[in-house]
């Protein structure tokens, strides 16, 4: 794994960071939707 990390390009590292950030935002949004659905179904 160390060798792989050293061979990655700067662009790939930036892309990976952006993908991780977008996945975190998506997970947050899905959690909000789920909580909203749980609240509306319990009423």
């Amino acid at each position: 794994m160390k060798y792989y990390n050293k061979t990655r390009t700067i662009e790939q590292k930036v892309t990976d960071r952006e993908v991780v950030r977008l996945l975190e935002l998506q997970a947050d949004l899905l959690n909000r939707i789920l909580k909203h659905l749980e609240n509306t179904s319990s009423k």
Side-chain angles (χ1 to χ4, degrees):
M1 195 63 178
K2 288 182 180 179
Y3 177 76
Y4 172 75
N5 285 338
K6 287 181 181 178
T7 60
R8 290 194 308 153
T9 63
I10 300 293
E11 293 85 4
Q12 185 61 48
K13 290 180 182 179
V14 169
T15 302
D16 289 349
R17 269 190 229 113
E18 289 180 10
V19 168
V20 168
R21 187 180 64 81
L22 291 172
L23 287 172
E24 288 172 348
L25 290 172
Q26 186 180 42
D28 182 52
L29 178 61
L30 289 172
N31 281 327
R32 289 185 195 190
I33 292 170
L34 181 61
K35 285 179 185 174
H36 181 73
L37 290 173
E38 286 174 346
N39 289 339
T40 56
S41 65
S42 64
K43 289 182 180 177

